[in-house]
Amino acid sequence: MNKIIIFFSSVAYLGYIKRAPGTFGSLAGVLFWIFFMPESALVQLCSLVAIFFISIFFSSLAEDIYKTKDDHRIVIDEVAGMWFSLALLPKNFLFFLLGFLLFRLLDIKKPWIIKSVQDLKGGFGVTIDDVIAGIFANFILQIVNFVLLK
C-alpha cells in the first residue's frame, strides 16, 4: 500500500528528482492538462474538485510515511495547483507557459495568504497553498485573456 501512496503522491516518482521536484511536478501538471483535459468547463471544474481531494488524501498518507510536514517528495499538490492555474483558459502555448511561470513564482515566493495557509495540518495544508497560488495565477491569466480578446 505504501508503494501506491508514494507513487501517486510523488507523481510517478518525480518528487524524487534531486533538484526542483516541485517544478517537475508542476510540469507534469501542465502536460496532464494539455493531453488529457477537455475544453468542457463542467469537466474542468469537476476535475479541479477531484484533484483537490485526491491531493489532500495522498498528501496526508504520504506525510505519515515520510514522517515530515510537506515533504519535498510530495508533488501531487503541484499538479493540483497547476490545474487551478490553467482552468477555464484557452488551451494554447502562451497560457500554458504563463500559467506555469506564474504558478511557480507564487508557489516559491508564497505571498501573504499563501504562506499562512501552508502551516495547516495534514494533506489539506500541503495542498491548499498550491491551490491558492493556482487560483491567483488563474485570476491574473483571466485578466490577460480578457485584455487579449478585447
Side-chain angles (χ1 to χ4, degrees), residues 71-86:
D71 190 278
H72 68 275
R73 294 170 285 192
I74 302 170
V75 295
I76 192 169
D77 54 322
E78 268 75 28
V79 173
M82 274 309 314
W83 284 18
F84 276 85
S85 296
L86 299 173

Side-chain angles (χ1 to χ4, degrees), residues 1-28:
M1 187 62 152
N2 284 358
K3 288 181 180 184
I4 294 169
I5 294 165
I6 290 169
F7 179 81
F8 282 106
S9 68
S10 68
V11 185
Y13 305 106
L14 289 175
Y16 283 82
I17 294 173
K18 293 288 183 202
R19 294 223 187 260
T23 299
F24 285 99
S26 299
L27 184 58

Side-chain angles (χ1 to χ4, degrees), residues 63-108:
E63 277 192 331
D64 291 341
I65 292 168
Y66 297 130
K67 307 281 189 241
T68 307
K69 171 77 176 127
D70 201 359
D71 190 278
H72 68 275
R73 294 170 285 192
I74 302 170
V75 295
I76 192 169
D77 54 322
E78 268 75 28
V79 173
M82 274 309 314
W83 284 18
F84 276 85
S85 296
L86 299 173
L88 307 174
L89 288 164
K91 288 184 82 172
N92 64 45
F93 180 76
L94 175 66
F95 286 104
F96 297 145
L97 178 63
L98 290 176
F100 177 79
L101 294 174
L102 268 173
F103 172 72
R104 289 308 299 150
L105 177 68
L106 291 167
D107 188 36
I108 292 167

Side-chain angles (χ1 to χ4, degrees), residues 50-149:
I51 193 66
F52 178 70
F53 286 109
I54 289 167
S55 178
I56 290 171
F57 177 74
F58 281 107
S59 296
S60 290
L61 296 173
E63 277 192 331
D64 291 341
I65 292 168
Y66 297 130
K67 307 281 189 241
T68 307
K69 171 77 176 127
D70 201 359
D71 190 278
H72 68 275
R73 294 170 285 192
I74 302 170
V75 295
I76 192 169
D77 54 322
E78 268 75 28
V79 173
M82 274 309 314
W83 284 18
F84 276 85
S85 296
L86 299 173
L88 307 174
L89 288 164
K91 288 184 82 172
N92 64 45
F93 180 76
L94 175 66
F95 286 104
F96 297 145
L97 178 63
L98 290 176
F100 177 79
L101 294 174
L102 268 173
F103 172 72
R104 289 308 299 150
L105 177 68
L106 291 167
D107 188 36
I108 292 167
K109 294 295 183 185
K110 298 202 187 303
W112 47 278
I113 195 168
I114 297 170
K115 186 173 182 112
S116 66
V117 298
Q118 77 173 8
D119 293 333
L120 296 171
K121 294 199 183 297
F124 184 78
V126 173
T127 302
I128 195 65
D129 65 311
D130 295 279
V131 167
I132 293 172
I135 291 169
F136 285 174
N138 188 280
F139 180 75
I140 294 166
L141 292 173
Q142 291 293 348
I143 292 169
V144 169
N145 186 39
F146 178 79
V147 170
L148 289 178
L149 293 179

Side-chain angles (χ1 to χ4, degrees), residues 33 37-38 42-52 83-84:
W33 190 268
M37 189 63 63
L42 180 60
V43 172
Q44 288 185 20
L45 293 173
C46 290
S47 297
L48 294 180
V49 171
I51 193 66
F52 178 70
W83 284 18
F84 276 85

